[in-house]
Amino acid sequence: TWMSVAALKAVAEDNAVISSALDALPASAASSGIPTLQELQTKFEEQVYKKCRRAALVPAGQRGLEGQVLGMVFSTLKFPPGPEDPAPESEKDAAEFVLARARRHVQLGELEPAVAQMEKLTGQAAFVAKDWTQKAKERVAAEKALKVIRLECALANESMSNGPKE
């Protein structure tokens, strides 16, 4: 991880585009790596979605264990909206609808729009989603940097193969 990024920086030091793309990588990429899309999808489905939904369904004014129990009960009894279900205009950014849309984007491997949805969450649901959302942002940033690096390498390869002909 760190050595791979450092090695790539050393090789690409003469290429400003690749150097800039590498500098745009999150610091965690070099130190602890970035989760794969599949890891993010699994964590979202198995943990984040359920916990956020539970947190979002805690009634206003209810805190502590009592609120958590109510959120758990409501999340079990209340059928969640689907990603295509029309949200009333006054509730389009309500956690239930935001989570449904984010879940669909995650399932489709569309992390950037999923992150955009997750950033609409507020309160306890936002707190619960914070770590996953940060990791997903890091993945998006890494994919963008990789796309730039691949394009730059393809262009360099093309220019070398079409180099001066004698």
Side-chain angles (χ1 to χ4, degrees), residues 67-114:
Q68 296 300 315
V69 169
L70 287 171
M72 196 177 310
V73 169
F74 291 147
S75 70
T76 304
L77 298 176
K78 187 176 180 191
F79 193 73
E84 304 302 322
D85 289 350
E89 190 59 35
S90 64
E91 292 185 42
K92 69 179 172 123
D93 288 337
E96 284 268 80
F97 293 100
V98 168
L99 286 168
R101 291 188 300 267
R103 184 182 200 187
R104 183 71 179 139
H105 288 301
V106 171
Q107 289 168 342
L108 294 172
E110 302 167 349
L111 287 181
E112 195 164 5

Side-chain angles (χ1 to χ4, degrees), residues 152-163:
E152 184 64 15
C153 289
L155 290 172
N157 189 31
E158 180 70 23
S159 73
M160 285 194 294
S161 65
N162 293 333

Side-chain angles (χ1 to χ4, degrees), residues 1 34 46 64 113 115 117:
T1 50
I34 294 176
E46 292 178 359
V115 166
Q117 289 297 315

